[in-house]
Amino acid sequence: MVSEAYIQIAPSVLAADFSNLGQQVRDVTDAGADLIHVDIMDGQFVPSISFGEVVVDAIRKSTHLPLNIHLMVLEPDNLLPSFMKAPTDQIIVHAEACRDLHRTVTQIKDGGHQVGVAINPDTSISAVEEVLPQLDIVLVMTVNPGFGGQSFIPETMDKVKRLREIIRSEGYATQIEVDGGVKADWTAQDSVRAGATILVAGTAIFNNQEPVSQSMERMRGCIHGVIST
């Protein structure tokens, strides 16, 4: 049985009310979030543009939680100094966006940060296998990156299961994160059953239908008692 105590919830501020961003971050912090997921999008690797260094600095001041910083940018090495500012920051780059993935991962590790590599739905896990021993996190995109509110792609669960098998067989401490379309329903439950230990949730947490505390409680209740096979 997988207890929800071992499943981290990372609300994605991309879905938050930007006119009240600091308070929204404080609200999910108080509601028991484990991480704050921050999507950095450059308009090149993905079509959308989100926010940059100044906004991330403001988010960091609004919470004591680690920032789960997801760099959806081309050649992320150029931007690393802008975001590797707090020892608790987790820096995630895309395998598809790096010229030399090993060099980028090493640079982040040498900076004293937890490091993750993300892969898109159509990217094989072979893209991360060579650096897997160095990784704290593998992020499996469960939607195509770049836009919020997309539908969860169930086929990505096979990738999560295979990663879990490799991580267990090799004795790695790497966590598996899923990002995209995760809600307080079968999508969260199937992710946990498949082996995910970090769930990114955007519109499932930040919505106009209920306070974020109720959304967080709903997500916790959903994953409570899920059996991992």
Side-chain angles (χ1 to χ4, degrees):
M1 180 175 293
V2 178
S3 167
E4 82 278 15
Y6 296 99
I7 307 302
Q8 295 183 295
I9 299 175
S12 173
V13 295
L14 189 64
D17 177 1
F18 280 21
S19 69
N20 195 27
L21 186 56
Q23 187 59 53
Q24 293 255 277
V25 172
R26 288 188 287 273
D27 287 345
V28 291
T29 300
D30 293 343
D34 301 287
L35 308 165
I36 302 296
H37 186 79
V38 184
D39 286 310
I40 308 300
M41 300 186 290
D42 65 353
Q44 298 181 68
F45 180 67
V46 293
S48 301
I49 297 174
S50 58
F51 34 71
E53 178 181 2
V54 173
V55 174
V56 176
D57 289 345
I59 293 171
R60 194 180 286 111
K61 292 177 182 177
S62 299
T63 184
H64 64 274
L65 297 175
L67 300 191
N68 188 244
I69 301 175
H70 182 189
L71 297 178
M72 289 186 276
V73 302
L74 286 177
E75 300 185 19
D77 303 57
N78 300 326
L79 291 178
L80 291 180
S82 298
F83 298 104
M84 293 168 52
K85 291 188 175 181
T88 55
D89 288 346
Q90 301 172 337
I91 309 296
I92 300 169
V93 298
H94 267 264
E96 305 89 352
C98 296
R99 289 189 179 184
D100 186 333
L101 183 58
H102 183 273
R103 181 183 65 191
T104 302
V105 166
T106 300
Q107 182 178 348
I108 297 169
K109 292 291 281 188
D110 287 349
H113 297 270
Q114 288 196 351
V115 60
V117 173
I119 50 177
N120 288 340
D122 62 350
T123 300
S124 168
I125 62 174
S126 62
V128 299
E129 284 190 270
E130 290 298 320
V131 295
L132 197 53
Q134 295 178 266
L135 300 184
D136 299 289
I137 299 166
V138 176
L139 189 159
V140 175
M141 293 299 302
T142 47
V143 299
N144 291 300
F147 302 97
Q150 296 184 65
S151 297
F152 185 92
I153 302 174
E155 292 77 10
T156 56
M157 292 298 95
D158 290 337
K159 195 179 301 185
V160 173
K161 291 174 184 176
R162 178 60 183 144
L163 278 167
R164 179 183 63 177
E165 291 171 1
I166 295 171
I167 289 167
R168 284 182 174 176
S169 65
E170 297 296 334
Y172 300 146
T174 315
Q175 295 199 74
I176 301 174
E177 181 172 351
V178 293
D179 179 9
V182 176
K183 303 184 184 306
D185 58 16
W186 65 269
T187 57
Q189 293 174 341
D190 281 5
S191 296
V192 172
R193 290 190 183 102
T197 53
I198 303 174
L199 305 181
V200 176
T203 55
I205 302 298
F206 296 107
N207 58 68
N208 296 320
Q209 299 175 359
E210 61 185 1
V212 296
S213 58
Q214 291 183 24
S215 298
M216 284 291 297
E217 184 177 356
R218 189 184 307 278
M219 183 66 75
R220 289 285 182 197
C222 176
I223 62 179
H224 177 72
V226 170
I227 302 298
S228 179
T229 57

